[in-house]
Amino acid sequence: MVSQMPHLAVALFLLSFSFLAYLYTIHLSDNKVTLVWLIQGGQNDKLTDKRLAYNSAKHEDQSTNRSDRTDLISSNNGCTMAPESRFDCGRDRLLSREECEARGCCYAPLATSAGPPWCFYPHPYPGYRMGPLTPTIWGQAATLTRDTPSYLPKDISTLSLDVREENSGTLHLTLKDPSSQRYEVNLPAESSQREAETKNVLYITEFLSDPFGFVVRRKANGKVIVNTTVAPLLFADQYLQLSTSLASSFVSGLGEHYTPLILDLNWTSLTLWNRDMAPHADANLYGSHPFYIVQEQDGLAHGVFLLNSNAIEVILQPTPALTWVSTGGILDLYIFLGPDSQSVIRQYLHIIGYPMMPPYWSLGFHLCRWGYTTTNTTRKVAQNMHRANFPMDVQWNDLDYANKRRIFTFDPWRFGDLPEMVEEFHKRGMKYILILDPGISSTSPPGTYPPFDDGLRRGVFIKNATGNILIGKVWPGPTAFPDFTNPEARRWWEDCIRDFHSKVPVDGLWIDMNEPSNFVQGSVEGCPDSDLENPPYTPRVVGGHLNSGTLCMSAQQQISTHYNLHNLYGLTEAYATHSALVRILRKRPFVLSRSSYPGIGRFSGVWTGDVRSDWEQLQFSIPAILQLSMFGVPLVGADICGFGGNTTEELCVRWMQLGAFYPFMRNHNDKPNAPQEPYVFGQKAQAAMRSALNLRYSLLPFLYTLFHHAHASAETVARPLFIEFPSDPNCQDIDKQFLWGSSLLISPVLEQGAVELAAYLPAGTWYSLHNGQPFYSKGQYLLLSAPLDNISVHVREGHIVPQQEPALTTTASRTNPFFLTVALSAGGWAWGDLFWDDGDSLDTFEMQNYCYVIFIAGQSQIVSDPVKLNGALDGLVLGGLRVFGVPSPPRYVLANGEKVRDFTYRTDTKVLTVTGLLLPMSEVFTVQWAL
């Protein structure tokens, strides 16, 4: 009997499959469906038309009115579906049963109003009908028509579909109105290049002609990546809707929101509408990134990007499925096939642009507070930091410096010697940054405030619907807002920065309040009553209106209305500021922006806004930073110790330890709060913070090399574990640990009072960066000791980490000896690299003006290979190295063939430490150990 079980199982399976096929045939025969299959294998492949016709009731006449449609739907079983498979037919407004059924939708109440919709689409639901696909210069095109309008106002009955194979891993589909020009996003100075080679595409695309939908499959395994046939396409003037199934429930992205790394699909919604709003749950925050990554299975992943700048709501449901709803523009969809997460990010950045290379000094420690009220106060802060032996590179000032809070001025009494203070910082090897808000004070007497006078003369400010300058209210009072889509405004902005820099030689600029934020709704005069201010559908935004906390939607910018351009405001300001600094400084710019949109990483870093000083916000800063890293913004950090509220000593120590591994590290505090500079705490806390800072500064050569790879190859700096270990299911949702590149695993303490933590170590050998103690993991959680003076950092076997002796500034540390941390694999090998240039010149990689050194360990030796040299490493030496995983005590050590006296070996941790070396970094060197 046992031996017959497999045969019985096969028979049952075949019987079940036959029954399902029969049911599917019945379904198709009840609803005559035409399928058009587009087999993607290159642009010249033939189009195969398969029409699956069955003897069935004839198609509903296209002139059928809505009541007829209701009768048709109620007479079939299209409403029978699991609640989690329902797609909301009343997303635009709450519907009664009568209103729902008048739309031809199903109405089936549930026990609770939360969760699945009561009014939902039957399957299928009448929609657009697709005409034949025809070849174009870039791909294929078709026309979509609907004879019966949808239930939406200003419905668009004819659409054009454009299908392009951008490259082998990227499919690009657009849907737009061919008869009317609608706003389309053009990213500033777009640099992505279309790749001509598309023969070995990773996808197959199938089109359903009536009602229109499309399915994208992974060619390698047939996995459905996108399937829009699950719900109807809607396209009206101010309401665009597209739904798709999801390949799994492991979805990340769609920022900026206060969420875990893996999004909750249990009937949640996320609104993309930039807003000045301190991070908290269920709110639209400072940035909008309509891009997501789905982890599939077997290490595969894909991504989807909707290039649309209007207000967007994304509805997530446990089907698993997702619905995009946009209030305008077009549907401009990119699908990235990876096949792994890192490849998805690279494909995405190929479209929006690779990130800029930051100046080396910007990777040091930054200190800021709103409340450094004078230059003397600011000086003392920087002096106290260095007197207490805390490394710090950059001193900042918030708006305290500005005369009457007007940008491009400084207070003549409290900051009268600001230029001298900045020069003092420069002489000490430090840098200086201050804040610029976009709002320009409009109430100064004529002739007394050139930024406004000149801007008025040059026509650079956003106008209201009547053509007059729109006046809002921000920190200086009534303000006008520059229109950075206007080339003249960008030139004016550069002139303002140039004039101010000639007086105060700042090293970078912090652009805040650029959602843009407004303390009144719309303008001081209110906003007109129009469809832009009160659209038929408003996503769930803080304040309930699109103009809440920002400008009127009807405000006029050069290329469109603010309704279309709002989410781009911070990006356009970052572009203008970056471009201005390039021309003024002739060095690599530093810009930090609060608001963000895809592509901002090319021009600016981003911080996560006004976080609170509490343990939950400490924890949520990790997924926030990892998400922005995946969005192409590697230079990202959170305000260390928190911006809002009073920190505690323990919280601030733990935040400094975590913050030492933010790619961008800044401690920032609000006016009314207790001070949180590292030197104000007790000696034990200071020692722990100093240790964290010194560790960061020692790792800056490694971090800088990671930024080079981000800039040149679209790799991530702060990296979720699932990207590096895609086949390990335990890594899929980890967001309390993260990686630097592929080499370092950071496991911070995130809970009050904790002195140990459970950290997941993927399979392999991991060495404590602190002392080289090995941990042999099978892919498991280990309980690690975590006293207050320690942060758990582990080096992955097979990796070499270049480091440098720390100092109080990067100006000093860059001249110190290097040392290498070598983490040998079980086979005794390891690899690492170093990118090095002068730290702030423009385009060093593009101009081939840099050094690049590879380090290889194997067969009891480590060898350097200077692949490229330009003089930047001249005079710098390797002072020592640590080798983790040396199996037995070496009999002797040789450096370039000469015996080395200064070496030690610990038998308990199997660590070889070599010191006293003076090997030129610009030359080949070999260090050997004889076992």
Side-chain angles (χ1 to χ4, degrees):
M1 181 66 179
V2 174
S3 63
Q4 295 178 6
M5 286 298 290
H7 301 289
L8 179 60
V10 169
L12 288 172
F13 172 80
L14 292 173
L15 182 61
S16 301
F17 185 83
S18 300
F19 181 66
L20 288 172
Y22 170 75
L23 289 178
Y24 185 65
T25 302
I26 294 294
H27 168 72
L28 288 176
S29 65
D30 284 345
N31 308 284
K32 182 180 176 184
V33 174
T34 303
L35 283 171
V36 178
W37 296 69
L38 174 63
I39 311 300
Q40 301 278 22
Q43 289 182 213
N44 297 323
D45 283 358
K46 292 181 179 179
L47 179 67
T48 304
D49 232 340
K50 294 187 178 179
R51 303 193 179 275
L52 307 180
Y54 300 88
N55 293 324
S56 61
K58 290 186 177 180
H59 234 275
E60 173 192 9
D61 187 273
Q62 293 299 314
S63 62
T64 304
N65 62 35
R66 293 185 184 181
S67 60
D68 292 336
R69 185 189 298 160
T70 303
D71 293 339
L72 174 67
I73 290 167
S74 60
S75 67
N76 67 30
N77 61 358
C79 294
T80 303
M81 63 185 72
E84 64 269 17
S85 296
R86 296 179 176 183
F87 287 84
D88 196 348
C89 182
R91 193 70 205 172
D92 56 319
R93 62 188 180 90
L94 188 65
L95 301 174
S96 66
R97 176 187 291 272
E98 291 74 18
E99 291 170 322
C100 173
E101 292 178 346
R103 292 184 170 187
C105 291
C106 310
Y107 193 85
L110 298 169
T112 175
S113 59
W118 291 11
C119 180
F120 54 97
Y121 298 107
H123 194 78
Y125 184 81
Y128 289 94
R129 183 174 67 251
M130 177 183 170
L133 279 161
T134 58
T136 68
I137 187 171
W138 292 118
Q140 287 134 338
T143 299
L144 276 56
T145 56
R146 60 182 313 149
D147 299 329
T148 303
S150 73
Y151 51 79
L152 296 170
K154 298 182 181 179
D155 189 60
I156 297 172
S157 60
T158 301
L159 300 176
S160 63
L161 167 69
D162 183 66
V163 184
R164 302 186 183 191
E165 297 174 352
E166 294 288 339
N167 54 53
S168 62
T170 302
L171 178 65
H172 184 193
L173 301 101
T174 57
L175 287 159
K176 62 176 73 173
D177 180 357
S179 63
S180 176
Q181 180 65 44
R182 298 172 61 82
Y183 180 70
E184 300 180 28
V185 178
N186 288 306
L187 297 177
E190 197 162 357
S191 61
S192 65
Q193 298 293 320
R194 186 177 183 277
E195 296 177 8
E197 182 57 55
T198 57
K199 289 183 179 178
N200 299 312
V201 294
L202 304 179
Y203 43 83
I204 298 172
T205 310
E206 307 158 5
F207 291 93
L208 182 73
S209 66
D210 191 11
F212 168 76
F214 61 88
V215 177
V216 180
R217 299 179 186 271
R218 188 177 294 284
K219 182 184 275 188
N221 59 11
K223 181 80 171 180
V224 173
I225 301 302
V226 170
N227 178 7
T228 72
T229 70
V230 293
L233 163 69
L234 299 176
F235 203 120
D237 185 39
Q238 292 180 274
Y239 188 100
L240 288 64
Q241 179 174 299
L242 184 70
S243 300
T244 178
S245 63
L246 295 167
S248 88
S249 297
F250 290 94
V251 182
S252 299
L254 301 173
E256 181 179 1
H257 297 95
Y258 190 74
T259 64
L261 183 61
I262 300 301
L263 298 174
D264 179 9
L265 303 190
N266 189 25
W267 302 104
T268 58
S269 72
L270 300 170
T271 297
L272 306 179
W273 188 243
N274 295 358
R275 175 67 196 251
D276 175 2
M277 182 53 55
H280 65 279
D282 302 319
N284 50 300
L285 302 181
Y286 310 101
S288 292
H289 296 269
F291 165 72
Y292 65 83
I293 293 179
V294 178
Q295 300 175 59
E296 299 168 34
Q297 59 199 13
D298 302 326
L300 301 176
H302 70 270
V304 175
F305 172 41
L306 177 61
L307 182 54
N308 181 297
S309 60
N310 290 84
I312 294 173
E313 188 167 4
V314 184
I315 300 92
L316 302 166
Q317 60 189 74
T319 316
L322 169 153
T323 297
W324 302 97
V325 178
S326 175
T327 59
I330 67 170
L331 293 175
D332 194 357
L333 205 67
Y334 291 84
I335 301 168
F336 309 107
L337 271 291
D340 55 80
S341 295
Q342 186 59 64
S343 298
V344 168
I345 293 170
R346 187 173 294 111
Q347 290 157 355
Y348 175 48
L349 267 58
H350 183 76
I351 301 301
I352 67 169
Y354 285 15
M356 55 87 185
M357 185 69 183
Y360 193 96
W361 57 262
S362 70
L363 304 184
F365 179 62
H366 302 243
L367 185 58
C368 186
R369 178 173 186 164
W370 192 9
Y372 294 153
T373 54
T374 66
T375 50
N376 284 339
T377 300
T378 308
R379 281 185 178 97
K380 288 178 182 176
V381 168
Q383 291 167 357
N384 289 340
M385 284 292 292
H386 282 175
R387 283 173 182 166
N389 288 318
F390 286 107
M392 184 179 80
D393 264 77
V394 194
Q395 179 63 56
W396 294 47
N397 274 120
D398 208 314
L399 205 53
D400 307 274
Y401 78 89
N403 185 13
K404 299 178 183 177
R405 295 181 171 180
R406 298 173 305 172
I407 64 169
F408 300 122
T409 70
F410 56 95
D411 188 283
W413 302 106
R414 295 179 297 105
F415 281 83
D417 61 344
L418 177 59
E420 291 79 10
M421 183 188 76
V422 176
E423 292 294 356
E424 291 169 20
F425 289 152
H426 290 166
K427 289 176 183 177
R428 292 164 52 191
M430 295 175 59
K431 306 294 182 182
Y432 179 73
I433 291 171
L434 49 67
I435 195 170
L436 285 186
D437 293 340
I440 301 295
S441 175
S442 61
T443 55
S444 300
T448 64
Y449 184 43
F452 181 73
D453 295 335
D454 193 35
L456 192 63
R457 179 177 59 82
R458 296 167 70 171
V460 306
F461 298 120
I462 294 175
K463 295 178 173 59
N464 62 24
T466 64
N468 297 313
I469 294 175
L470 183 145
I471 302 297
K473 189 175 182 181
V474 204
W475 297 116
T479 51
F481 296 84
D483 174 12
F484 293 106
T485 70
N486 181 349
E488 184 62 23
R490 296 196 292 271
R491 288 188 287 268
W492 161 85
W493 187 248
E494 180 182 331
D495 292 342
C496 290
I497 295 173
R498 186 185 302 276
D499 180 67
F500 188 72
H501 186 269
S502 70
K503 304 179 185 75
V504 184
V506 298
D507 299 287
L509 291 170
W510 168 25
I511 52 175
D512 193 11
M513 306 289 287
N514 56 344
E515 290 73 33
S517 179
N518 188 2
F519 296 165
V520 296
Q521 184 170 342
S523 81
V524 294
E525 298 178 343
C527 302
D529 184 9
S530 68
D531 286 344
L532 295 180
E533 307 297 342
N534 301 293
Y537 168 73
T538 300
R540 298 179 182 180
V541 294
V542 173
H545 299 275
L546 295 182
N547 56 25
S548 295
T550 191
L551 310 185
C552 294
M553 295 297 100
S554 55
Q556 299 295 311
Q557 298 185 236
Q558 183 173 80
I559 62 175
S560 191
T561 61
H562 196 69
Y563 181 87
N564 291 324
L565 299 174
H566 170 82
N567 278 346
L568 298 171
Y569 194 84
L571 171 64
T572 57
E573 186 192 16
Y575 171 55
T577 307
H578 180 275
S579 300
L581 288 176
V582 166
R583 285 187 283 269
I584 294 165
L585 301 178
R586 301 295 178 182
K587 293 181 180 179
R588 221 174 291 167
F590 175 87
V591 181
L592 185 74
S593 175
R594 188 171 70 179
S595 176
S596 62
Y597 186 82
I600 197 167
R602 295 170 53 201
F603 313 113
S604 175
V606 171
W607 93 105
T608 62
D610 296 345
V611 296
R612 291 192 318 272
S613 297
D614 65 42
W615 291 90
E616 180 187 272
Q617 298 254 341
L618 170 71
Q619 175 182 323
F620 271 88
S621 74
I622 298 178
I625 281 160
L626 295 179
Q627 298 245 26
L628 280 161
S629 179
M630 294 188 292
F631 297 153
V633 189
L635 190 65
V636 57
D639 284 345
I640 292 168
C641 302
F643 176 76
N646 294 325
T647 190
T648 65
E649 184 169 273
E650 181 191 3
L651 174 62
C652 202
V653 168
R654 293 305 193 189
W655 213 322
M656 283 287 287
Q657 290 171 340
L658 170 58
F661 290 91
Y662 291 158
F664 168 66
M665 185 184 190
R666 183 183 71 161
N667 181 320
H668 182 37
N669 194 6
D670 198 2
K671 270 186 177 181
N673 305 333
Q676 59 190 36
E677 296 84 3
Y679 57 77
V680 305
F681 297 103
Q683 291 303 310
K684 288 186 178 179
Q686 286 194 42
M689 293 180 181
R690 191 177 298 110
S691 175
L693 278 168
N694 281 322
L695 178 58
R696 179 187 179 88
Y697 271 64
S698 78
L699 288 165
L700 288 183
F702 173 64
L703 180 60
Y704 192 61
T705 301
L706 293 180
F707 270 97
H708 161 68
H709 291 304
H711 172 66
S713 307
E715 295 188 12
T716 45
V717 176
R719 185 173 301 175
L721 271 69
F722 77 75
I723 289 181
E724 190 64 27
F725 301 98
S727 298
D728 184 344
N730 295 314
C731 293
Q732 287 182 308
D733 60 354
I734 290 177
D735 60 7
K736 295 181 181 179
Q737 300 169 259
F738 61 100
L739 296 151
W740 264 13
S742 58
S743 305
L744 293 186
L745 175 63
I746 296 99
S747 306
V749 170
L750 303 171
E751 296 179 1
Q752 185 176 4
V755 292
E756 58 185 16
L757 79 150
Y760 183 77
L761 300 185
T765 302
W766 296 85
Y767 300 93
S768 166
L769 181 62
H770 173 62
N771 60 14
Q773 179 183 351
F775 295 85
Y776 306 103
S777 176
K778 297 178 181 178
Q780 64 199 90
Y781 280 89
L782 297 177
L783 192 63
L784 304 176
S785 175
L788 190 63
D789 63 351
N790 174 264
I791 180 170
S792 295
V793 183
H794 293 85
V795 192
R796 185 181 179 187
E797 65 170 320
H799 291 256
I800 298 174
V801 177
Q803 296 176 253
Q804 204 168 16
E805 295 294 338
L808 294 182
T809 65
T810 57
T811 302
S813 70
R814 279 177 57 88
T815 66
N816 283 348
F818 285 85
F819 63 98
L820 300 177
T821 296
V822 182
L824 295 177
S825 68
W829 61 268
W831 186 95
D833 63 343
L834 171 69
F835 176 88
W836 195 258
D837 58 14
D838 66 9
D840 64 1
S841 288
L842 292 167
D843 301 325
T844 58
F845 173 66
E846 291 77 7
M847 301 296 291
Q848 299 290 300
N849 185 23
Y850 63 91
C851 299
Y852 184 67
V853 183
I854 291 174
F855 309 102
I856 302 172
Q859 297 179 324
S860 300
Q861 66 177 3
I862 178 168
V863 178
S864 76
D865 179 11
V867 176
K868 181 170 178 51
L869 295 172
N870 76 331
L873 282 171
D874 290 357
L876 297 176
V877 299
L878 181 75
L881 50 86
R882 297 184 300 168
V883 187
F884 299 160
V886 177
S888 60
R891 292 181 289 115
Y892 57 84
V893 175
L894 301 177
N896 287 343
E898 300 285 333
K899 279 198 173 183
V900 175
R901 292 184 179 181
D902 298 330
F903 73 90
T904 60
Y905 179 82
R906 290 194 54 161
T907 56
D908 56 344
T909 56
K910 301 186 184 305
V911 173
L912 168 65
T913 303
V914 183
T915 58
L917 301 177
L918 291 172
L919 303 177
M921 290 292 292
S922 57
E923 299 176 10
V924 175
F925 63 73
T926 302
V927 179
Q928 301 166 282
W929 52 94
L931 302 179

